Amino acid sequence: SGYDVIKQLKSQAKTKHISVIFITALTTEVEEERGFALGAVDYITKPFRPNIVTARVKIHMELVNQRKRLEELTNLDSLTGIYNRRKFDEMLLQEWHRCMRSNKQITLAMVDIDSFKHYNDNYGHGAGDITLQIVAKTLSDTVKRSADFCARYGGEEFAMILPEITNEGSEIILEACRNTIEGLAIPHAYSQTSDVISISIGAVCVIPVNGLSCETFLKQADEQLY
């Protein structure tokens, strides 16, 4: 029955967000209430007019797209336009468990812009914001594999998740990030490490196992950064 179908859809992670409209000859309030209780978004009784069904489908598709856009905005950093800490926490947990199931290695890298406080103090926060935007886009563009993930962790710090990758593969990607940022040649006369904007990266590569937590993983990567 339609009730059985919607139960199956709502029980699966991949299909639970699909909008379901009932078109049915069952017209009692009890049946309608049951459909909505199971997660239906609309209820159309027979006989129906196809143009009305089409119009309602369009309305619900617009609502779905609006919800997706809203969810996307809540996951983006407002300054840089890349993913934020909230989305990072979600993705780290997701990829951690995925690599645990597949027994594959995962790399977590923490990135910090060197002497950024001195940059803000001397060039101004407006220039600092522009530099953060440039660095964020460059890091995001350099991490090219579809499964890789880059986010602004906070302040001038960024985080990257590289699932199912070797130590050597991680090193190639992260070194490319470091070189590309320096290659931008953004002047930083007040840096303690370089005369241009540069970054430091700390990374940890592990195969997730029971007994090792995401929190420990993150802490180790942060220690590597410093």
Side-chain angles (χ1 to χ4, degrees):
S1 72
Y3 298 127
D4 294 328
V5 172
I6 194 171
K7 284 178 183 177
Q8 289 290 328
L9 288 171
K10 297 304 177 182
S11 68
Q12 302 295 323
K14 289 184 178 181
T15 57
K16 67 180 181 181
H17 295 299
I18 291 176
S19 299
V20 177
I21 300 174
F22 273 100
I23 299 180
T24 178
L26 302 174
T27 58
T28 68
E29 287 185 6
V30 172
E31 279 127 2
E32 191 170 343
E33 286 176 7
R34 184 183 177 190
F36 284 124
L38 290 172
V41 298
D42 209 344
Y43 209 92
I44 301 173
T45 56
K46 296 178 181 178
F48 61 87
R49 291 165 55 192
N51 60 327
I52 296 298
V53 175
T54 301
R56 291 197 183 183
V57 168
K58 286 182 178 178
I59 288 171
H60 287 294
M61 289 304 297
E62 287 173 4
L63 291 173
V64 167
N65 289 330
Q66 288 174 6
R67 188 183 72 238
K68 286 181 178 178
R69 285 194 291 270
L70 183 60
E71 288 175 352
E72 188 69 18
L73 286 173
T74 62
N75 289 326
L76 295 179
D77 176 61
S78 59
L79 175 64
T80 63
I82 68 171
Y83 288 113
N84 57 20
R85 171 72 180 275
R86 177 178 179 271
K87 184 64 175 180
F88 165 78
D89 291 338
E90 176 187 323
M91 290 301 296
L92 179 60
L93 196 61
Q94 176 181 309
E95 293 299 330
W96 177 264
H97 288 298
R98 186 168 73 86
C99 286
M100 181 181 287
R101 290 193 298 270
S102 62
N103 198 38
K104 297 290 181 64
Q105 183 165 281
I106 182 172
T107 294
L108 173 62
M110 303 302 292
V111 181
D112 193 67
I113 302 177
D114 299 323
S115 301
F116 193 68
K117 183 180 185 304
H118 296 303
Y119 188 89
N120 270 336
D121 290 345
N122 290 279
Y123 292 96
H125 288 277
D129 287 349
I130 292 172
T131 297
L132 282 172
Q133 291 168 345
I134 294 171
V135 170
K137 185 178 187 309
T138 303
L139 291 174
S140 187
D141 288 347
T142 307
V143 179
K144 294 178 180 177
R145 297 188 316 157
S146 59
D148 294 341
F149 179 84
C150 180
R152 186 183 181 195
Y153 192 73
E156 69 273 21
E157 197 169 1
F158 300 87
M160 291 184 284
I161 303 169
L162 312 176
E164 299 188 357
I165 194 170
T166 63
N167 291 12
E168 293 77 14
S170 299
E171 188 173 353
I172 290 170
I173 292 174
L174 299 178
E175 188 66 6
C177 289
R178 194 187 65 77
N179 285 326
T180 304
I181 295 299
E182 283 199 34
L184 297 172
I186 301 171
H188 189 353
Y190 306 93
S191 174
Q192 298 170 330
T193 58
S194 174
D195 57 359
V196 296
I197 285 289
S198 60
I199 58 173
S200 295
I201 305 176
V204 177
C205 314
V206 299
I207 297 176
V209 293
N210 290 324
L212 179 62
S213 67
C214 275
E215 292 75 16
T216 301
F217 188 42
L218 181 59
K219 183 180 178 182
Q220 288 175 342
D222 214 40
E223 288 173 354
Q224 289 297 108
L225 169 64
Y226 286 100

